[in-house]
Amino acid sequence: MTVEHRVVFTPSGIVATVPQGSAVLDAARAAGVDIDSVCGGRGLCGRCQVAPSTGQFAKWGLTSTEDALSVPGPTELDYRGRRPLQEGHRLSCQAAVLGDVVIDVPAQSQVHSPVVRKAVDLGEITVDPVVTLHYLEMATAVLGDEISDAERLVSALADDWDMPNVEVPAGALPALSAAMAEGKGAATAVVHTRRRYPGQSEDGEVVERRVLTVRPGYSDAEFGVAVDVGSTTVAGYLLDLATGEVVATAGRMNPQIRFGEDLMSRVSYAMLNPGGTAELTTAVRTAIDEVIGELCEAAGIYRVDVCDLVVVGNPIMHHLVLGIDPTPLGAAPFTLAVRDGVWADAADIDVDLPGASLYVGPCIAGHVGADAAAAMLAEGPHRSPQPQLLVDVGTNAEIVLGDNQKVWAASSPTGPAFEGAQISCGQRATAGAIEGVRIDPATLEPRFKVIGCDLWSDDPGFEAALGSLEVSGLCGSGIIEVIAEMFLVGIIDHRGVIVGEMAELSPRIIADGRTFSYVLQTQPVPLLVTQNDVRAVQLAKAALRAGIDLLAEHAGIADVADVRLAGAFGAHISPVHAMVLGLVPDGPVEGVKGVGNASGAGAARMLVSGSQRAEVERTAQEVVKIETATEARFQELFVAAMSLPHETAPTPHLEQAVDLPPRSTADSETAGPKRRRTGRQRNQMQEQ
């Protein structure tokens, strides 16, 4: 008579009844419990670790004792895998059930384990990568065998891993042949699985399984790279696909900048220069490959350890990465060559990742790309019960507004002013750039914070802390803050005019031709905020705000308490200063926050989870796109948004946070010096 025992798995609470002597891993698989394993139960990978519990468990009516599992054998005692065996843990593939027992499956041992990451904020997601590793031990070929290495591999995957009908494409055959010879039948197959996820289901039907490459012997190196290709920068993230951990980050300037600062300049280059598209494509692909090299070097891994690559970008970057002519996106009707996500191999975009798959995220519309879709995936307006406004501020701002019922999206041509271009003392966010500004309301004297130095310019020891670093210009957040501060203290009026009469009160305001400028610094590099600088910022912010207001009108949403500013610029901007400028609509100040590189976080989500890819593809298809270029109301909204903070929109929340200057009804040429405000939050802002 067969003796059987109950095995209770926590935290799932699943109970299995198995014959005595069954391996815990086999019991888990039979019961559908989530336990990871690459080596197929051979005690090599260490991923199947579990923690047996002892004591009385009234809930299940059993007592779990130390002798409920077999004692560790040679395989466990000699285990030296990449994942150390934690104290009190057992390898579930080696521990046999000898009595009723309660087994805890830690998160790191679960195939679909929830994770929370810090380097890029992925939130809580389920690790479910589309690329997985499978260790196999196959009989070596002997004379007279009528079976190929490919057939042997397919058969082993079906028998050992219950993976039928796996395709072995031509590109994987050289690696397979070499691995079989070197490993003498022992090999690790890198398998790519594509699923179809109907509706909102998390369980997808397998559409395709194919072998990407085969490694000799046992291997558990399973990494992926997520890349966000922006018009200015290329940011990359290396993740461990087994755990979802962000292992390394890297970034560099997009070399396409030499062809034009903004996207339309690059489209023009492709249009006017024979071979221009190929040049742009080569430049961005080279940058991606270099970022991947930096990531691998930083993590101490080899390129062959990278199994999957995810790329997102705005529509023009998206097309150029894929080698597609972007010129149709430069004129109406702004037609995309492809809207859905693209599944391919990394080698297809000339990236040196042998045996890695490629996924390029879906676009939403002609000017709202895969980067916006990725940001949506990360921040989740489509999952929110309350309206959420998500803005990725860049040369072409992408705006998303909505909730879990419906989502709208638009793009707005803000230009490069927020990134320092078109500003007389503007520069990119590098060491030496001013990122924060405060102006004393009584003296009109400025103080500033510089990237690369922890002290403010009026702090004792600032010069010493600055060292050899030279204060060289204003980056995006500094530009926003200095304009907002100038408005709050009365240097500029609500129309954005620098008030010349203020020169009577401070030598910081100087005549500059027919207009006036504000002197932020005289040495070593003179830094002035000119009237043209103010106008450039006004034009950029008006374009962005008009896009937001247009979406709000279409959505019928009057108030938004959740505003998220994405991208490097959004991560460093002051919410109060953004509202003073009128960059975003009035709302609770605490509801405005920077969320960092949300596009990169969304790309990382797609990398570690197949269901996240399904979600982003569904969401991208469901978004309602508003084309600002063809909307008659856009120009009207743009004109109203030129004023600071806005010509007509009320600002009750902002007025609770800071006293705004009184609006002058006189022309700037005849108006006298304006009274400078102290404001309820001026002192607090001075201390920040």
Side-chain angles (χ1 to χ4, degrees):
M1 180 178 178
T2 302
V3 177
E4 295 186 329
H5 302 290
R6 285 189 297 158
V7 183
V8 179
F9 293 95
T10 61
S12 66
I14 295 175
V15 181
T17 301
V18 299
Q20 180 167 300
S22 300
V24 172
L25 180 60
D26 292 336
R29 287 174 171 171
V33 175
D34 214 15
I35 296 184
D36 196 6
S37 176
V38 167
C39 67
R42 294 172 175 86
L44 298 173
C45 67
R47 295 191 181 191
C48 69
Q49 294 182 39
V50 296
S53 303
T54 59
Q56 293 184 346
F57 298 87
K59 179 178 180 179
W60 295 291
L62 64 80
T63 299
S64 180
T65 61
E66 291 184 359
D67 58 1
L69 296 181
S70 61
V71 298
T75 301
E76 282 186 279
L77 294 174
D78 296 337
Y79 171 74
R80 298 292 184 273
R82 189 163 71 96
R83 291 191 181 187
L85 191 58
Q86 302 295 317
E87 184 176 355
H89 284 197
R90 298 290 304 275
L91 296 179
S92 64
C93 63
Q94 302 299 311
V97 177
L98 303 180
D100 292 350
V101 65
V102 175
I103 299 289
D104 182 62
V105 183
Q108 61 267 29
S109 296
Q110 298 172 22
V111 176
H112 309 107
S113 54
V115 292
V116 179
R117 301 294 159 234
K118 296 181 180 178
V120 281
D121 186 7
L122 304 193
E124 185 171 337
I125 59 174
T126 298
V127 175
D128 178 24
V130 301
V131 177
T132 51
L133 306 184
H134 304 275
Y135 177 65
L136 305 163
E137 291 181 352
M138 297 164 281
T140 55
V142 296
L143 185 63
D145 280 349
E146 298 298 332
I147 184 171
S148 67
D149 286 340
E151 291 171 302
R152 203 185 312 275
L153 178 69
V154 170
S155 178
L157 285 169
D159 293 342
D160 294 357
W161 292 96
D162 193 24
M163 299 180 73
N165 305 317
V166 179
E167 178 188 357
V168 184
L173 292 175
L176 168 61
S177 179
M180 291 293 285
E182 184 178 340
K184 298 180 179 179
T188 301
V190 182
V191 180
H192 179 275
T193 301
R194 184 175 176 183
R195 296 175 180 272
R196 180 185 295 111
Y197 293 83
Q200 299 299 317
S201 172
E202 293 184 0
D203 297 322
E205 173 193 358
V206 174
V207 175
E208 171 196 76
R209 279 199 181 104
R210 63 191 178 99
V211 175
L212 297 174
T213 189
V214 182
R215 301 171 182 170
Y218 171 74
S219 172
D220 64 355
E222 186 179 7
F223 295 93
V225 172
V227 178
D228 173 27
V229 182
S231 56
T232 304
T233 58
V234 178
Y237 307 92
L238 178 71
L239 285 85
D240 185 327
L241 296 182
T243 64
E245 294 284 349
V246 179
V247 179
T249 63
R252 60 178 49 220
M253 300 299 293
N254 188 332
Q256 291 180 342
I257 288 174
R258 67 178 183 268
F259 301 106
E261 282 275 355
D262 59 83
L263 294 174
M264 287 302 105
S265 295
R266 295 177 206 178
V267 171
S268 296
Y269 184 87
M271 186 182 302
L272 299 174
N273 295 276
T277 295
E279 284 186 82
L280 289 161
T281 292
T282 298
V284 71
R285 288 179 175 181
T286 299
I288 292 173
D289 191 66
E290 289 172 349
V291 166
I292 291 170
E294 291 179 24
L295 291 169
C296 292
E297 183 177 355
I301 68 169
Y302 299 101
R303 285 177 178 259
V304 292
D305 296 331
V306 178
C307 311
D308 200 6
L309 172 64
V310 170
V311 178
V312 300
N314 59 60
I316 290 171
M317 292 301 101
H318 170 281
H319 277 38
L320 287 171
V321 167
L322 292 171
I324 302 170
D325 178 11
T327 55
L329 297 174
F334 314 112
T335 304
L336 291 162
V338 58
R339 182 179 174 190
D340 295 334
V342 175
W343 301 71
D345 292 320
D348 293 334
I349 60 168
D350 301 326
V351 171
D352 183 17
L353 287 178
S357 59
L358 169 70
Y359 178 72
V360 182
C363 290
I364 294 173
H367 281 162
V368 184
D371 53 348
M376 281 185 61
L377 183 66
E379 297 304 316
H382 59 293
R383 299 188 294 266
S384 174
Q386 302 299 326
Q388 179 192 116
L389 172 63
L390 174 62
V391 183
D392 192 343
V393 185
T395 56
N396 187 67
E398 292 171 313
I399 310 161
V400 178
L401 174 65
D403 54 25
N404 56 14
Q405 297 301 309
K406 199 168 186 179
V407 177
W408 288 260
S411 64
S412 201
T414 54
F418 291 142
E419 295 180 345
Q422 299 179 349
I423 304 297
S424 62
C425 58
Q427 69 169 85
R428 302 196 186 280
T430 57
I434 295 174
E435 61 177 343
V437 178
R438 302 291 183 268
I439 299 177
D440 186 276
T443 66
L444 303 186
E445 286 297 304
R447 66 190 187 104
F448 46 79
K449 179 80 166 45
V450 179
I451 296 176
C453 181
D454 294 332
L455 301 180
W456 284 80
S457 59
D458 61 344
D459 288 337
F462 172 73
E463 294 295 337
L466 203 61
S468 60
L469 196 62
E470 186 177 85
V471 181
S472 50
L474 282 162
C475 69
S477 59
I479 292 166
I480 294 298
E481 292 194 11
V482 74
I483 301 296
E485 288 281 318
M486 289 170 66
F487 172 66
L488 286 173
V489 301
I491 295 174
I492 60 178
D493 64 18
H494 76 279
R495 292 164 296 183
V497 176
I498 298 178
V499 181
E501 289 80 359
M502 295 295 286
E504 302 171 14
L505 305 177
S506 171
R508 292 279 178 180
I509 294 92
I510 62 172
D512 188 1
R514 299 180 62 182
T515 59
F516 291 83
S517 297
Y518 177 73
V519 180
L520 192 60
Q521 173 182 275
T522 57
Q523 295 293 334
V525 178
L527 301 178
L528 280 71
V529 180
T530 69
Q531 183 63 69
N532 285 339
D533 294 338
V534 177
R535 282 286 179 260
V537 172
Q538 281 183 279
L539 290 168
K541 84 96 178 180
L544 174 58
R545 180 63 183 271
I548 293 172
D549 292 343
L550 188 64
L551 275 192
E553 287 187 359
H554 278 273
I557 297 174
D559 300 302
V560 181
D562 183 2
V563 179
R564 307 190 185 193
L565 302 175
F569 174 79
H572 296 93
I573 192 173
S574 158
V576 172
H577 290 95
M579 292 177 65
V580 168
L581 199 67
L583 195 66
V584 296
D586 187 71
V589 173
E590 64 275 10
V592 182
K593 61 182 180 180
V595 294
N597 188 3
S599 297
R605 279 175 164 259
M606 297 178 214
L607 183 66
V608 300
S609 172
S611 59
Q612 289 285 289
R613 297 188 190 189
E615 180 178 337
V616 77
E617 295 213 9
R618 286 195 303 269
T619 303
Q621 292 288 338
E622 293 167 357
V623 172
V624 179
K625 173 62 169 62
I626 304 301
E627 183 53 67
T628 57
T630 59
E631 287 279 343
R633 276 281 289 161
F634 182 81
Q635 187 61 33
E636 188 177 339
L637 294 169
F638 175 86
V639 171
M642 281 288 290
S643 294
L644 304 177
H646 194 276
E647 183 65 33
T648 57
T651 55
H653 291 92
L654 179 59
E655 289 167 18
Q656 290 177 5
V658 60
D659 284 342
L660 296 176
R663 178 167 296 196
S664 173
T665 57
D667 292 336
S668 61
E669 289 78 11
T670 59
K674 297 190 176 185
R675 180 171 64 90
R676 295 182 296 279
R677 309 286 289 184
T678 57
R680 282 182 287 273
Q681 272 204 347
R682 294 299 299 161
N683 291 336
Q684 295 180 23
M685 291 171 68
Q686 290 285 336
E687 294 301 321
Q688 293 176 357

